[in-house]
Amino acid sequence: MPDDSTHGGGEHFILDGKALPDLVQSIINAGYWLIGPAVRDGAIIYDEIKSCSDLPRSMTDTQEAGTYRLQQRSDQAWFGFNTCAQSLKPFLYPPTATVCRATREKQGYSITGPTSDTTKMAFLGVRPCDLGAVLIHDRVLADGEYADESYISRRENTLLIAVNCTEAGNTCFCASMEAGPKASQGFDLAMTEIIENDDHYFVVEIGSQKGRSVVSTLSLASATKEQVLQADRRIRPAAEQMGRSLDTSGIRDVLVRNIDNVYWDSVGRRCLSCGNCTLVCPTCFCSTVQDVTDLTGAEAERIRRWDSCFNLEFSHIHGGSVRHSPKARYRQWITHKLAFWHDQFGTSGCVGCGRCITWCPVGIDITAEAHAIREHDLQAAPVKEKTEV
Amino acid sequence: MKKKKPKLAVWKFASCDGCQLSLLDCEDELLAVAGAIDIANFPEASRAIARGPYDLSLVEGSITTPHDAERIHKIRRSSKYMVTIGACATAGGIQALRNFTDVKEYASLIYANPEYISTLQNSTAIADHVPVDLELRGCPISKYQLIEVVSAYLNHRKPNLPSFSVCIECKLRGTTCVMVAHGTPCLGPVTHAGCGAICPAYNRGCYSCFGPKETVNTEALAEQLKSMGTPPADLVRMFRSFNAEALEFRQESTIHERED
């Protein structure tokens, strides 16, 4: 949605590792509320950044299905970790929001609509997968017939500073989903952190006018062609390091024709239907609407709250829930994410951030489940001769 | 004509009184509650008892004596709506631990003259004895949920009482998962929401004060906890606390008791 963003191939500058505090200050001086990675309660999450000392310097994490552990790095990397525990979703699409308020009057009642959120928010250290998810949310929440006005007003005031991945985690698979490890669009600035012997610098790509104006005060030197190539060379291994992969070829049709596959029973037995996967997913956008009243009935409020297709009430229609079993709810989630999202929004609903794998308390793995359905595909097409790539 | 205020009654069975104290705990909202309803019976607040019938009865505690097993029927007959409040009333409470052993043996260890004790072998939920209109979970209940129920009742609307997992509440408040990030055994994924996920916010696993959530899968969680190093004896204790008699927890704890 950033109106003036380019699609890669922008100008490149060099920011010295020691000058990161200047960039942080420049963002804050421009009137932004700065959100970036920070260590809280044993994990790296997106939180308010007041200065560079809030950033998780020299920290990293090890993620596996159902586990996350914070660890120390041996170098001084500012962004040497994988995905944060949550994406930008809690900021751009808050867990709860007031839709409207009603006040009883002598005759009838009056309604006040939502107040638009015009806080200027800057996000530093956005991973390409999370950036891709924001672009998906733009399509879902800001485009089309049912645009969410408060989401639009928040996005209009957003500055996105991506940091390309030069390492990948065990649950990462953005390369499979073509959402990373390099940010290709939608950013205002995209940085690649390079540590080489005693050199520590960022190659900064300008993605928009907004991004340019933030770095304009820093009098940065232009990057040489070699430095830009060096940044790309650093990103490439991350794609090969990904701990997970998902074969997306024909995935939509494979899932759709296996709706009745008995394999779903297997995941149904393991699934807790706790909803963690959906709430850590950067693209899951489902919400419910609740009406609350005060005791006197003088005031009422309508609240939008994150919901999950793993909750029984989510599919409650007249007569009860249509997806009573956890199996049916898991199938609904994965088929929406990887299959029906294509029909609905023209892209996959998955960016391969791997959060649903890491943060599932019992470690259910979307890549393994998609693979298993393919393996159990009852209507598999005859194996075609593989062509050399 | 002034609208007649609905009559609210609070009834106590085997319990610690903590849940009815939640009503007094409402502090800021208490005056509004008192203004909107007539409190006809509330032992923790006043000895005065107004005659029934009652529009809304809040029942605290479990059935543990033959006398109470009869008394609950009388209360049901004089109540238009009956809402049970807390783990004792909805699942037998902590005193339902007796259900897994011989209550006579317990009584003989505690009382000098156990022959004077008239008690039932099992501690049971109110809904095991009479039809209940709504159950509020928790040990103790959440005062916000209590106000929500009273408010919904007064405004003729459905109360918002989600039966999904505590995990959802953790994520809504932005708490990092203690099970995934710290390896702390947590019952959140099998526990009914309502508390607002207090314990994980203080880096503790969920103790399941609110009992089993909707379509609960205790088996898969127990498997995972075992693989994280939780011994069967601990699993038995985890599932046997405030909601030990809740069907799914009773079944799960019994499985691990056999393993131990």
Side-chain angles (χ1 to χ4, degrees):
Chain A
M1 199 161 66
D3 40 350
D4 56 350
S5 70
T6 60
H7 296 266
E11 270 178 278
H12 293 80
F13 293 92
I14 297 296
L15 176 77
D16 193 88
K18 288 192 198 78
L20 189 67
D22 299 339
L23 175 64
V24 164
Q25 203 51 52
S26 166
I27 299 164
I28 293 170
N29 289 348
Y32 286 101
W33 181 39
L34 181 59
I35 314 294
V39 174
R40 296 275 185 284
D41 298 322
I44 298 170
I45 64 161
Y46 285 114
D47 206 346
E48 180 174 13
I49 300 296
K50 289 201 170 105
S51 76
C52 272
S53 60
D54 293 330
L55 295 172
R57 192 169 201 184
S58 302
M59 297 302 289
T60 190
D61 54 79
T62 304
Q63 302 189 30
E64 248 314 328
T67 69
Y68 177 106
R69 291 294 180 275
L70 207 53
Q71 271 156 355
Q72 198 73 37
R73 287 177 72 93
S74 56
D75 62 14
Q76 292 285 299
W78 290 105
F79 301 98
F81 47 86
N82 301 299
T83 49
C84 294
Q86 269 285 14
S87 64
L88 309 189
K89 186 165 79 171
F91 296 95
L92 294 174
Y93 189 59
T96 57
T98 300
V99 177
C100 63
R101 279 198 178 85
T103 308
R104 198 186 287 279
E105 288 174 342
K106 271 187 185 156
Q107 285 185 326
Y109 53 87
S110 68
I111 288 185
T112 47
T115 47
S116 65
D117 185 355
T118 52
T119 312
K120 282 173 76 178
M121 281 191 278
F123 296 94
L124 175 65
V126 179
R127 291 301 183 197
C129 54
D130 286 346
L131 184 66
V134 170
L135 300 183
I136 288 178
H137 265 187
D138 286 351
R139 208 165 301 134
V140 173
L141 299 169
D143 289 351
E145 212 174 330
Y146 305 103
D148 179 333
E149 294 300 331
S150 60
Y151 177 82
I152 292 172
S153 70
R154 248 174 257 120
R155 278 291 282 125
E156 279 168 353
N157 292 293
T158 305
L159 182 79
L160 293 169
I161 302 170
V163 171
N164 293 318
C165 294
T166 51
E167 291 170 14
N170 295 332
T171 55
C172 290
F173 60 102
C174 69
S176 301
M177 307 315 294
E178 294 174 5
K182 186 179 187 218
S184 59
Q185 57 169 318
F187 55 85
D188 296 296
L189 295 172
M191 320 207 299
T192 308
E193 184 171 25
I194 295 173
I195 301 177
E196 213 171 27
N197 305 322
D198 291 338
D199 284 346
H200 187 175
Y201 61 95
F202 294 94
V203 175
V204 182
E205 184 182 352
I206 308 292
S208 73
Q209 276 307 327
K210 253 198 270 185
R212 182 188 300 277
S213 68
V214 167
V215 293
S216 63
T217 55
L218 303 177
S219 48
L220 303 180
S222 286
T224 63
K225 220 173 205 175
E226 175 51 30
Q227 283 170 319
V228 175
L229 286 173
Q230 169 74 338
D232 280 345
R233 276 199 295 273
R234 288 301 177 108
I235 297 165
R236 216 167 298 139
E240 286 143 31
Q241 262 177 27
M242 306 243 153
R244 297 289 197 279
S245 67
L246 198 149
D247 178 3
T248 57
S249 60
I251 184 77
R252 184 203 169 277
D253 296 339
V254 172
L255 289 171
V256 171
R257 69 171 174 255
N258 282 286
I259 292 291
D260 294 323
N261 200 310
V262 289
Y263 176 78
W264 297 114
D265 290 332
S266 151
V267 66
R269 278 191 294 275
R270 285 172 282 134
C271 178
L272 302 170
S273 67
C274 61
N276 275 302
C277 48
T278 54
L279 300 197
V280 294
C281 176
T283 69
C284 274
F285 57 83
C286 285
S287 60
T288 185
V289 171
Q290 283 183 340
D291 290 339
V292 290
T293 50
D294 70 350
L295 284 160
T296 61
E299 302 276 344
E301 202 175 345
R302 179 160 287 186
I303 294 166
R304 175 192 60 71
R305 194 204 64 219
W306 284 356
D307 202 357
S308 168
C309 50
F310 285 86
N311 295 340
L312 195 57
E313 207 177 23
F314 181 83
S315 66
H316 188 103
I317 53 169
H318 175 75
S321 180
V322 296
R323 284 191 284 272
H324 191 80
S325 67
K327 159 190 144 178
R329 284 177 247 161
Y330 187 88
R331 181 180 58 191
Q332 155 65 24
W333 176 69
I334 194 173
T335 53
H336 185 215
K337 193 109 314 212
L338 299 176
F340 298 115
W341 205 293
H342 286 280
D343 304 352
Q344 207 178 354
F345 303 111
T347 65
S348 174
C350 177
V351 290
C353 71
R355 284 191 183 87
C356 57
I357 307 172
T358 300
W359 298 99
C360 171
V362 293
I364 296 174
D365 179 341
I366 187 173
T367 64
E369 299 309 323
H371 180 72
I373 285 293
R374 213 183 264 281
E375 291 278 288
H376 291 78
D377 187 357
L378 300 172
Q379 302 155 50
V383 182
K384 286 179 193 155
E385 278 205 359
K386 279 183 184 163
T387 47
E388 289 294 319
V389 181
Chain B
M1 197 182 87
K2 213 180 158 198
K3 224 169 99 183
K4 217 176 141 196
K5 284 199 273 185
K7 254 195 232 176
L8 174 100
V10 182
W11 307 99
K12 177 186 159 60
F13 287 81
S15 58
C16 76
D17 285 28
C19 289
Q20 45 170 319
L21 282 173
S22 301
L23 190 56
L24 287 180
D25 229 11
C26 290
E27 294 169 356
D28 293 346
E29 298 86 355
L30 196 57
L31 282 177
V33 172
I37 50 180
D38 261 337
I39 296 179
N41 178 33
F42 188 7
E44 277 286 355
S46 165
R47 263 184 283 175
I49 301 178
R51 285 167 61 96
Y54 309 99
D55 294 295
L56 179 61
S57 275
L58 303 176
V59 180
E60 174 197 81
S62 68
I63 303 297
T64 56
T65 65
H67 171 248
D68 279 353
E70 279 183 33
R71 186 163 65 100
I72 189 62
H73 286 277
K74 283 185 197 149
I75 294 170
R76 176 69 267 194
R77 278 196 294 274
S78 61
S79 306
K80 282 187 193 159
Y81 283 95
M82 181 180 272
V83 175
T84 56
I85 57 169
C88 299
T90 58
I94 196 86
Q95 60 272 26
L97 289 174
R98 64 158 71 167
N99 303 6
F100 299 90
T101 178
D102 182 3
V103 73
K104 283 194 193 114
E105 199 186 323
Y106 273 17
S108 68
L109 286 170
I110 291 161
Y111 298 99
N113 298 94
E115 61 273 20
Y116 294 117
I117 303 295
S118 169
T119 190
L120 297 167
Q121 164 56 43
N122 285 352
S123 168
T124 44
I126 300 298
D128 291 342
H129 299 264
V130 293
V132 167
D133 298 296
L134 185 75
E135 292 185 315
L136 263 194
R137 303 286 197 88
C139 183
I141 53 164
S142 143
K143 67 172 189 175
Y144 303 105
Q145 288 206 329
L146 182 61
I147 291 168
E148 170 64 10
V149 167
V150 174
S151 176
Y153 170 76
L154 291 171
N155 290 292
H156 311 288
R157 67 173 169 89
K158 181 173 158 266
N160 297 305
L161 300 168
S163 54
F164 51 55
S165 69
V166 166
C167 301
I168 302 276
E169 295 192 310
C170 267
K171 292 292 179 283
L172 291 176
R173 69 185 281 170
T175 302
T176 296
C177 179
V178 296
M179 188 161 156
V180 170
H182 310 164
T184 304
C186 179
L187 289 174
V190 295
T191 299
H192 192 291
C195 67
I198 300 168
C199 293
Y202 293 91
N203 288 326
R204 303 296 296 261
C206 167
Y207 295 92
S208 202
C209 305
F210 278 60
K213 76 171 194 79
E214 62 192 21
T215 60
V216 68
N217 187 350
T218 51
E219 195 185 341
L221 181 69
E223 276 306 308
Q224 181 73 6
L225 292 174
K226 260 199 254 175
S227 74
M228 287 164 60
T230 307
D234 287 7
L235 285 174
V236 176
R237 277 191 286 271
M238 285 174 81
F239 286 107
R240 278 187 196 165
S241 58
F242 321 102
N243 292 282
E245 184 58 25
L247 177 67
E248 299 90 341
F249 284 7
R250 187 181 64 201
Q251 286 172 342
E252 194 61 40
S253 71
T254 307
I255 290 167
H256 303 292
E257 191 173 40
R258 280 189 224 117
E259 288 168 349
D260 192 31

